[in-house]
């Protein structure tokens, strides 16, 4: 193993942070744990008694839907992008080598939340959290991969703006 590779990943992520990773700003702006109870209820997760592979964390999966909404990616493309982008892995709380979402899991998650009305509820609350912090909600979308401060609000800044 190349000795410099031990630190190259953390150095790379640190450089992303210094450049103003908009996903770090989003992570600081939105309290994603707020949605956990609604997501679990909407998904109707069992108690695990039947066995099988444990489900992905519903908050992490909701964050994936937020990522997917901004560039309007297909489920298959989303699967690729999660594996490809370090900033997306970090935002989702995943590391290189972790099991990642596949397109069927993403589709099933979104469909289940849509069927139960949970997706509409959490997206409304997501937009509300953004608005409360002085950002313009764009129906769950991040314009140009960054948060957009609402006009006329002082003291709110966003990297890249």
């Amino acid at each position: 193993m190349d000795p410099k590779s031990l630190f190259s990943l953390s150095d790379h992520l640190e450089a992303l942070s210094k450049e103003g990773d908009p996903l770090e700003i989003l992570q600081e702006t939105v309290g994603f744990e707020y949605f956990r109870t609604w997501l679990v209820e909407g998904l109707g997760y069992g108690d695990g008694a039947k066995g099988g592979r444990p489900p992905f964390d519903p908050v992490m999966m909701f964050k994936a839907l937020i990522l997917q909404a901004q560039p309007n990616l297909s489920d298959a493309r989303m699967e690729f992008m999660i594996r490809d982008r370090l900033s997306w892995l970090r935002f989702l709380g995943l590391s290189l080598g972790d099991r990642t979402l596949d397109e069927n899991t993403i589709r099933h998650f979104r469909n289940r939340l849509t069927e139960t009305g949970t997706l509409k509820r959490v997206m409304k609350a997501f937009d509300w959290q953004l608005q409360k912090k002085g950002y313009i909600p764009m129906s769950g979308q991040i314009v140009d991969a960054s948060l957009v401060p609402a006009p006329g609000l002082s003291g709110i800044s966003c990297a890249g703006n």
Side-chain angles (χ1 to χ4, degrees):
M1 177 183 257
D2 184 357
K4 63 184 170 194
S5 69
L6 294 173
F7 301 103
S8 60
L9 179 60
S10 62
D11 290 346
H12 189 80
L13 289 170
E14 186 177 321
L16 288 174
S17 296
K18 284 181 182 176
E19 291 177 22
D21 181 356
L23 295 178
E24 286 185 310
I25 296 167
L26 182 60
Q27 182 72 31
E28 294 167 5
T29 302
V30 176
F32 283 98
E33 281 300 316
Y34 175 80
F35 305 109
R36 181 172 300 280
T37 302
W38 290 350
L39 294 168
V40 170
E41 288 173 4
L43 292 167
Y45 280 166
D47 61 4
K50 291 184 180 179
R53 186 186 298 198
F56 283 103
D57 177 70
V59 173
M60 184 267 294
M61 293 186 66
F62 175 61
K63 290 164 94 176
L65 292 185
I66 297 299
L67 288 173
Q68 185 178 27
Q70 54 140 340
N72 199 20
L73 297 173
S74 70
D75 295 335
R77 190 66 182 157
M78 185 65 186
E79 177 181 347
F80 172 81
M81 295 300 286
I82 290 171
R83 289 189 183 129
D84 184 59
R85 296 230 171 142
L86 288 176
S87 60
W88 286 25
L89 282 172
R90 177 171 58 183
F91 178 68
L92 296 174
L94 299 171
S95 298
L96 287 175
D98 283 352
R99 183 171 68 106
T100 58
L101 303 170
D102 61 72
E103 66 180 288
N104 292 327
T105 302
I106 296 166
R107 182 176 53 255
H108 178 73
F109 179 77
R110 185 182 52 254
N111 289 346
R112 181 70 184 140
L113 291 182
T114 300
E115 289 166 5
T116 62
T118 304
L119 186 58
K120 190 174 193 174
R121 182 181 184 192
V122 295
M123 289 309 294
K124 186 175 181 176
F126 174 78
D127 284 352
W128 175 81
Q129 282 197 34
L130 286 176
Q131 192 171 33
K132 187 174 95 172
K133 296 287 182 138
Y135 294 100
I136 300 171
M138 303 294 286
S139 300
Q141 296 184 16
I142 306 168
V143 178
D144 295 326
S146 61
L147 296 171
V148 179
L153 294 176
S154 61
I156 304 290
S157 64
C158 183
N161 290 339

